[in-house]
Amino acid sequence: MADSETEALSPLLEDLGENPSEGAQQYTIGLQKTAALCTSLLSRLYEIDQLLEKLRLELRETQPKKDGVILLELANCGKHCSGCPHPRWKQWRWHASYTYKPWRAHPIKEPLRKLKKTGPFEATYFETYHRIRFVQSLVKERQSLIRKVASLGKSLHH
């Protein structure tokens, strides 16, 4: 180990006890495991985000553009948030009485309950239903991964 590396690690080496080379090796192995875990978590989060974007577009393309259509929104709240984008469900409604922007998006919590089965939505109901269920499972997995990343970040700061 070079002198500059030893100086940088001196607080760590004091904690390692009588055999610093063994402790430093264990410390390095621990960091490598942590780095591998972080990489795999972030990689899976990236995959899920890509899938969510693809499914968002598919939901938009496959459903008829009619009153009551249910769409997925991937909202960004700011640069300091580690959980962006935030998946949200919206039901688009036509309000004829509004002269300015008659289409309004209403937030909904349970999209499967609001999903229409009849009329222009009948042909795409089952396909849309399964897409929404898949999105919900991805969102649940994503939330779990974000909690793990947050927990890992807190443990590394202590």
Side-chain angles (χ1 to χ4, degrees), residues 16-136:
L16 297 175
E18 293 178 15
N19 192 352
S21 63
E22 182 181 309
Q25 185 179 13
Q26 289 175 347
Y27 181 76
T28 304
I29 291 171
L31 282 177
Q32 289 172 345
K33 287 180 181 179
T34 302
L37 176 64
C38 289
T39 302
S40 67
L41 286 173
L42 294 175
S43 174
R44 181 61 185 148
L45 274 172
Y46 179 77
E47 289 173 11
I48 290 172
D49 287 348
Q50 295 301 308
L51 270 170
L52 287 175
E53 178 60 22
K54 179 182 175 218
L55 290 163
R56 182 188 74 80
L57 293 172
E58 287 176 3
L59 281 167
R60 180 179 221 114
E61 292 171 6
T62 57
Q63 293 183 82
K65 289 156 183 56
K66 302 285 183 186
D67 181 58
V69 66
I70 295 178
L71 297 176
L72 176 66
E73 175 186 61
L74 299 174
N76 288 313
C77 63
K79 62 183 177 183
H80 298 294
C81 177
S82 58
C84 286
H86 302 281
R88 297 179 185 147
W89 293 103
K90 302 280 182 147
Q91 185 173 37
W92 284 85
R93 308 295 294 183
W94 175 262
H95 298 277
S97 61
Y98 295 153
T99 55
Y100 179 72
K101 295 187 179 183
W103 282 103
R104 303 285 168 111
H106 298 274
I108 56 174
K109 292 196 186 272
E110 298 179 26
L112 293 176
R113 288 191 177 195
K114 298 284 187 173
L115 188 60
K116 293 187 175 190
K117 300 178 187 179
T118 58
F121 297 97
E122 187 175 3
T124 61
Y125 172 76
F126 288 106
E127 184 180 354
T128 304
Y129 178 88
H130 291 295
R131 275 199 179 104
I132 290 174
R133 290 283 308 249
F134 185 53
V135 167
Q136 288 175 327

Side-chain angles (χ1 to χ4, degrees), residues 117 120 144 158:
K117 300 178 187 179
S144 172
H158 294 296

